[in-house]
Amino acid sequence: MRIFVTGATGYIGRVVTEKAVAEGHDVHGLSRTEEGDARLKALGATPVRGDLTTLDVLRRESAQADAVLHLAFIHDFSIDYEEILRTDAAAVDALAEPLLGTGKALVISSGTAGVQPDPAGGETTEEMPLAENRPLSGRARSERHALSLSEKGVRVSSIPLPPYVYGRAGSGFLPLLMQMAVKNGEAAYINEGSLRTSDVYVDDAATLYLLAAKGAKPVKSSTALHRQPSPQRKWPKRSERYLIFQCAQ
């Protein structure tokens, strides 16, 4: 397949690209810089210069693709979050436009951080209601907007990722927590540290994106979880192991 990947130069996107190329797919990845171009070429992919605001580029690449994987998201939170969501919605519409009525796959990214936890302490799923007064809940609006495109003949799927994706000596939020612990001289948690969250290994997440592109049914929401949620009070120890691993690299 010819696969177009937004966010191809990012932490998860690079692994998706690597795995897709290894499977023999022709991967075209969105890139904003020369450095990003070089990363994608090294992985065996074709760089496409643009970003989430270059809608003509998104439409062109989507039209030529057999499947589209949308992993890009603006993480510059100095920008108004509503503007970030509007940009993402416009990008999704541009990617979906050439796919209307084709049955081709559009796989988008979402997260589990914006929903309410299970009141009994069980697993949180994509069926949970949105959490109130939590900024990341707005991301669910983008997800629902994208999933609604299935009514127009797009084979759209969503991958809601847990807050912690780890592996290959990298992560998203975990280094941030480590930096805060170093700055404050301690790794703190709220109350008894009973807040739980899940994680997923980055290679497993990447595999799920490709499985969705190849065979998911429309409006399928597959939560990427690797293990049972761990209590917040145990995070410092996990961060310590992560730091040792990083230094060993």
Side-chain angles (χ1 to χ4, degrees):
M1 291 193 299
R2 174 165 171 160
I3 301 176
F4 178 50
V5 184
T6 73
T9 61
Y11 174 49
I12 303 174
R14 289 199 302 271
V15 183
V16 171
T17 298
E18 175 191 300
K19 286 182 171 293
V21 170
E23 290 184 6
H25 300 299
D26 178 18
V27 181
H28 292 241
L30 195 65
S31 172
R32 294 176 295 169
T33 64
E34 291 184 1
E35 180 183 3
D37 294 352
R39 284 182 179 179
L40 293 176
K41 289 178 180 178
L43 292 172
T46 301
V48 177
R49 185 60 64 88
D51 57 35
L52 294 185
T53 65
T54 54
L55 303 183
D56 55 336
V57 173
L58 301 182
R59 292 189 189 94
R60 182 193 71 214
E61 291 300 318
S62 178
Q64 297 176 3
D66 299 303
V68 177
L69 309 183
H70 179 41
L71 284 82
F73 193 74
I74 299 173
H75 291 98
D76 181 359
F77 297 116
S78 65
I79 302 174
D80 180 72
Y81 194 57
E82 287 298 321
E83 180 59 28
I84 291 175
L85 294 176
R86 284 192 292 270
T87 299
D88 185 66
V92 168
D93 284 341
L95 292 168
E97 185 178 319
L99 305 179
L100 298 178
T102 66
K104 292 181 179 180
L106 170 61
V107 184
I108 66 158
S109 306
S110 185
T112 61
V115 299
Q116 295 181 18
D118 184 275
E123 290 188 359
T124 298
T125 73
E126 62 272 11
E127 302 300 328
M128 298 296 184
L130 294 180
E132 297 181 4
N133 302 319
R134 187 175 294 182
L136 292 180
S137 299
R139 186 93 186 254
R141 299 206 311 267
S142 294
E143 178 188 42
R144 290 172 181 175
H145 170 69
L147 291 176
S148 70
L149 296 171
S150 66
E151 300 172 0
K152 299 181 180 179
V154 181
R155 185 161 62 87
V156 59
S157 306
S158 172
I159 307 294
L161 296 165
Y164 295 96
V165 181
Y166 70 95
R168 301 197 181 204
S171 182
F173 292 116
L174 190 54
L176 177 62
L177 292 179
M178 292 165 57
Q179 293 164 9
M180 292 171 60
V182 170
K183 179 180 179 180
N184 297 324
E186 60 182 354
Y189 51 78
I190 300 173
N191 297 326
E192 298 178 354
S194 58
L195 174 68
R196 291 173 176 265
T197 189
S198 297
D199 52 37
V200 64
Y201 184 52
V202 64
D203 284 61
D204 294 336
T207 297
L208 184 57
Y209 276 94
L210 293 177
L211 287 173
K214 290 183 284 188
K217 295 179 181 179
V219 198
K220 183 176 180 62
S221 184
S222 302
T223 304
L225 298 178
H226 182 255
R227 65 181 81 193
Q228 291 292 327
S230 57
Q232 191 179 35
R233 62 178 176 273
K234 293 185 178 180
W235 296 355
K237 285 295 183 182
R238 296 173 68 184
S239 298
E240 179 181 322
R241 293 196 297 271
Y242 177 89
L243 180 58
I244 292 172
F245 179 74
Q246 283 280 70
C247 292
Q249 298 299 304

